[in-house]
């Protein structure tokens, strides 16, 4: 699926630069670069990334809201067949959709990555186009394929990272509530709220409380991940007791050591 979220400024500039080279090297008058996109309903079509020379507003909808149908135009046919096409006389082609005026020829090349069609480059000219122009567009399509695939991969990484951050935040907050309850009741037991404790019971409760505090520290560290990523992390430096740290570490495994 190709979403608008990856259409950042740098990426669009690369596509516009690719199209500019295509028009310059073929001496064509108008052109476009499009990628295959999919709606929420699963309908596939073309989203225009770059266009030059067409009448103002004629194709704006296909850059944002609507998709160009794969059943329409020579560009749709090229995506379906996967074969480059040089139409020397567009008036003789029943699939041609006239958007610019007085067009004579149209040259359309699929953008492929790992034998999969991911988009299309198309240029139209008032003058005839030749096989040399076709070779130029094929080479540019190869470069465009790399840029589009990199953008897809970047979007997948970004969405995976967002999902990870959301998951960590959710789990951390969910763990906070039961740990707060466990810590509260443990403190009450240590204070004798449920009756007098012997030394063994008191030691066991101290171990439970120590581990709850340790879990709370771990959860806080998880929450720090989102703070680090957003640049809001705050580090508090303070002296610590090494003896206390060692004692807390030993408390969790003392029973196993004695056994």
């Amino acid at each position: 699926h190709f979403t608008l979220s990856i259409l950042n400024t740098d990426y669009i500039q690369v596509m516009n630069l690719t199209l500019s080279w295509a028009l310059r090297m073929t001496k064509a008058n108008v052109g476009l670069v499009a990628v295959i996109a999919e709606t929420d309903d699963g309908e596939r079509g073309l989203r225009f990334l770059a266009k030059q020379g067409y009448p103002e507003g004629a194709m704006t909808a296909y850059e944002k809201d609507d998709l160009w149908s794969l059943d329409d135009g020579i560009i749709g046919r090229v995506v379906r067949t996967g074969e480059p096409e040089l139409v020397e006389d567009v008036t003789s082609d029943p699939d041609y959709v006239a958007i610019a005026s007085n067009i004579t020829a149209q040259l359309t090349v699929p953008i492929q990555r790992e034998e999969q069609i991911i988009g299309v480059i198309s240029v139209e000219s008032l003058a005839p186009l030749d096989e040399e122009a076709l070779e130029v567009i094929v080479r540019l399509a190869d470069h465009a394929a790399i840029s589009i695939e990199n953008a897809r991969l970047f979007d997948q990484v970004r969405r995976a990272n967002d999902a990870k951050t959301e998951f960590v935040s959710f789990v951390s907050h969910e763990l906070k509530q039961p740990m707060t309850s466990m810590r509260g009741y443990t403190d009450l037991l240590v204070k004798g709220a449920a009756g007098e404790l012997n030394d063994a019971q008191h030691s066991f409760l101290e171990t439970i409380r120590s581990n709850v505090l340790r879990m709370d520290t771990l959860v806080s560290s998880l929450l720090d991940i989102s703070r680090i990523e957003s640049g809001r992390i705050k580090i508090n430096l303070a002296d610590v007791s090494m003896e206390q740290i060692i004692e807390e570490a030993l408390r969790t495994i003392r029973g196993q050591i004695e056994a």
Side-chain angles (χ1 to χ4, degrees):
H1 296 190
F2 192 85
T3 62
L4 288 177
S5 59
I6 69 171
L7 303 186
N8 54 62
T9 302
D10 291 340
Y11 178 64
I12 293 297
Q13 286 177 347
V14 170
M15 292 298 102
N16 274 297
L17 182 61
T18 300
L19 180 57
S20 294
W21 274 104
L23 294 175
R24 184 182 308 172
M25 297 174 72
T26 61
K27 295 182 172 57
N29 303 94
V30 299
L32 61 86
V33 178
V35 293
I36 295 179
E38 193 170 295
T39 65
D40 294 336
D41 299 330
E43 179 186 356
R44 298 172 77 241
L46 289 172
R47 174 81 67 210
F48 295 165
L49 301 184
K51 59 180 179 59
Q52 295 183 29
Y54 291 101
E56 186 71 27
M59 307 172 79
T60 303
Y62 303 112
E63 295 176 287
K64 298 179 180 179
D65 303 318
D66 300 330
L67 296 180
W68 180 280
S69 174
L70 298 184
D71 295 325
D72 294 342
I74 297 173
I75 59 174
R77 187 174 70 206
V78 167
V79 171
R80 296 195 309 270
T81 64
E83 297 294 331
E85 288 198 34
L86 172 55
V87 179
E88 298 179 351
D89 180 10
V90 294
T91 60
S92 64
D93 193 308
D95 290 331
Y96 177 68
V97 177
I99 298 177
S101 303
N102 302 319
I103 295 297
T104 297
Q106 179 172 329
L107 198 168
T108 307
V109 174
I111 300 173
Q112 301 185 63
R113 190 66 173 168
E114 297 179 353
E115 299 183 356
Q116 181 180 0
I117 307 299
I118 60 176
V120 67
I121 297 180
S122 181
V123 296
E124 300 181 57
S125 175
L126 302 178
L129 296 170
D130 54 24
E131 292 295 329
E132 184 178 346
L134 176 60
E135 293 177 5
V136 167
I137 300 301
V138 168
R139 290 197 298 271
L140 286 173
D142 290 338
H143 291 290
I146 296 173
S147 297
I148 292 172
E149 186 63 17
N150 287 343
R152 288 179 187 270
L153 294 174
F154 176 80
D155 186 55
Q156 291 176 4
V157 171
R158 183 195 59 77
R159 286 188 283 112
N161 187 63
D162 290 346
K164 178 265 298 179
T165 301
E166 183 179 350
F167 174 77
V168 168
S169 179
F170 172 78
V171 171
S172 300
H173 283 98
E174 287 297 306
L175 287 174
K176 278 283 189 180
Q177 184 174 350
M179 284 195 303
T180 300
S181 178
M182 290 164 60
R183 181 178 177 182
Y185 279 103
T186 302
D187 288 341
L188 289 174
L189 289 173
V190 170
K191 293 176 181 178
E196 196 67 29
L197 302 175
N198 58 40
D199 290 343
Q201 291 171 330
H202 193 276
S203 176
F204 290 162
L205 286 173
E206 284 294 339
T207 299
I208 293 173
R209 183 166 64 175
S210 174
N211 279 281
V212 170
L213 290 173
R214 184 182 176 197
M215 289 178 63
D216 185 66
T217 300
L218 291 173
V219 170
S220 296
S221 296
L222 285 175
L223 289 172
D224 282 342
I225 292 176
S226 60
R227 298 190 184 102
I228 291 171
E229 292 177 342
S230 62
R232 294 184 292 109
I233 186 67
K234 182 179 180 182
I235 300 176
N236 296 317
L237 301 178
D239 293 334
V240 296
S241 168
M242 291 302 297
E243 181 181 359
Q244 182 181 353
I245 291 174
I246 294 171
E247 178 59 32
E248 289 178 355
L250 284 173
R251 186 181 294 121
T252 62
I253 59 172
R254 182 168 284 128
Q256 299 175 41
I257 293 174
E258 292 174 352

